[in-house]
Amino acid sequence: MIKKILATLFLVVPLLFATSKPGHAYDVPKYDGPVNDHAQVLSDELEIELEAYLTKFAQESNGAELAIVTIKNLDGESIEDLAQQFFDDWEIGKKELDNGVLLLISIDDREMRIHTGYGVEASLTDSVVGRIIRNDIAPEFKKYNYEAGVNKGANNIIAAIQNPEQFAEKEKPVTEFFIFFLVIFLITFGSGLMVYIAAFLGRSKSWWLGGLIGVVLGMILASITGAIAFAIFGLILDYILSKNYKTWKLQKKATSWGKTSGGFFPTSSSKSSSSSSFSFGGGSSGGGGASGGW
Amino acid sequence: MKIKNPLIILGGIILLIGFYLIGVYNSLVGVAQEVDGQWAQVETQYQRRFDLIPNLLESTKGIFEQEKEVFGLIADARSRYSGAANQTEKVKAANSLESAIGRLLVIVESYPELKSNETVLGLMDELAGTENRVSVERKRYNDKVKIYNVKTKTFPTVLVAGMLGFADKAYFEAAETAQEAPVIDFN
């Protein structure tokens, strides 16, 4: 009987006394991948590129789980508290390593914070992340180059983790833009040259020079038109393939050469082969890191 | 036969109460250990803060000649912390240090030659980071104390917690001065 009473009390009383958990004022959203662009300042291309990069980095032996979050505003919270809430909620970093890093950017407040997990505090000291904010991210943000700032920030955070001594700069390739520029240059330069040659021929009295120049010009022009034709073809091809890649990646479909018939046709199954569901590893942070504005 | 039965029942009840007390004791020890462990985390961050300050003073020496008052406060808080006999004194010393550091941060902001110095900026980052670590660990400490206190004050544990030697644990109250912006006299 007494046991019963005790058991009942034991079960019921804690419920009566139960107090609400320390509530979070801010509603931390669920994550989908390492990059969460709630403020919509990053292009889909960069997001995909960064996600692939960060996912790979998280699996490396001396890697870390880096999460990038942009939000519109802080909703009255301090950036430090909010970063802590995101970190606690998402548990960024591997459980036994606590190797999580969070880059939180609040666009309207013009504030950001790099929040570090316990395990990366040695390489990503507060002064190192403070310097990344001041010297790499903030100058780009001042010019509204959010993409460049985030890209630089991510690269420097990774560089600092892998190689605390020296920071290797990594820039995005510019080949596509260069080819486009070259084509424009050739067309302009080529037509200018033709006008000049025609004027020259009209004045000269020789009858064979026209033929000779015609041959030479024909060869040049053929190569130019050929170059233009191939350039246009290449651009269209690249456009189609990139677009396919992007949409399939967003749908989490396979993007490898073999599985998509050379990049033109998607696989019928929507299940991805490798990274079907992303998840952070259960790491925790003691509140380290640095904040800054721009 | 009739006398034996109540004795067995009584013995059973005593045995059950004994088991119950052991269970309560063990679970309270577990929660109390968590509180103490979290307090150690708070102290680690306090220590880190004290270790950082000499570096900052070293790198800003010449410029801070006229800011003697703040450094007096910091030095005072430091010696009080290392001489503290109990947790309450430690918290007091740490809190007065906190308000002094708040003032120091504002002072640094007002010196352009300090704001452009990478060493000083790095040290300020470390100091600000440590302040945040302190507040994070302190919040976790308070959360753990809350769990402990709720447990010890809940019926029926409340009837036996005192008997078993589990007293209330105090919450960590942030210094009032630390919450308001420090006022600096620039005369």
Side-chain angles (χ1 to χ4, degrees), chain A residues 259-274:
Chain A
K259 284 189 178 127
T260 58
S261 323
F264 290 102
F265 304 104
T267 43
S268 46
S269 76
S270 62
K271 190 94 176 80
S272 166
S273 53
S274 56

Side-chain angles (χ1 to χ4, degrees), chain B residues 2-172:
Chain B
K2 280 218 163 175
I3 299 162
K4 243 187 180 178
N5 244 352
L7 276 178
I8 289 170
I9 291 169
L10 199 70
I13 289 169
I14 289 169
L15 212 64
L16 279 175
I17 290 174
F19 279 138
Y20 164 72
L21 284 179
I22 291 169
V24 168
Y25 181 81
N26 284 347
S27 86
L28 284 179
V29 165
V31 183
Q33 282 296 316
E34 273 191 45
V35 173
D36 292 346
Q38 191 53 44
W39 175 253
Q41 288 279 55
V42 175
E43 285 205 350
T44 306
Q45 296 309 326
Y46 276 162
Q47 195 53 52
R48 187 189 143 98
R49 179 154 74 180
F50 279 117
D51 294 344
L52 280 169
I53 290 166
N55 296 334
L56 183 70
L57 299 194
E58 192 60 39
S59 66
T60 56
K61 224 176 199 168
I63 303 159
F64 274 155
E65 277 303 304
Q66 62 265 54
E67 307 289 355
K68 288 224 169 77
E69 198 205 329
V70 176
F71 292 118
L73 288 174
I74 291 174
D76 176 50
R78 221 180 146 181
S79 58
R80 275 199 288 136
Y81 183 83
S82 48
N86 56 39
Q87 192 172 322
T88 324
E89 280 178 30
K90 266 190 179 169
V91 170
K92 265 191 173 168
N95 282 348
S96 58
L97 178 71
E98 203 158 288
S99 60
I101 286 176
R103 291 178 61 171
L104 186 66
L105 289 170
V106 176
I107 289 169
V108 170
E109 284 288 308
S110 65
Y111 282 87
E113 63 265 49
L114 288 184
K115 278 192 80 182
S116 55
N117 182 326
E118 268 297 335
T119 319
V120 175
L121 283 176
L123 284 165
M124 297 319 276
D125 283 335
E126 296 285 345
L127 211 49
T130 305
E131 293 304 298
N132 194 51
R133 286 192 181 86
V134 165
S135 76
V136 166
E137 300 296 2
R138 224 161 37 188
K139 189 185 156 293
R140 287 184 185 159
Y141 172 79
N142 276 349
D143 289 348
K144 292 229 157 84
V145 168
K146 187 176 178 180
I147 292 170
Y148 172 88
N149 281 350
V150 166
K151 214 173 167 109
T152 51
K153 283 176 182 162
T154 310
F155 189 84
T157 317
V158 67
L159 299 178
V160 294
M163 189 178 88
L164 294 171
F166 290 95
D168 261 17
K169 284 194 187 283
Y171 285 107
F172 202 115

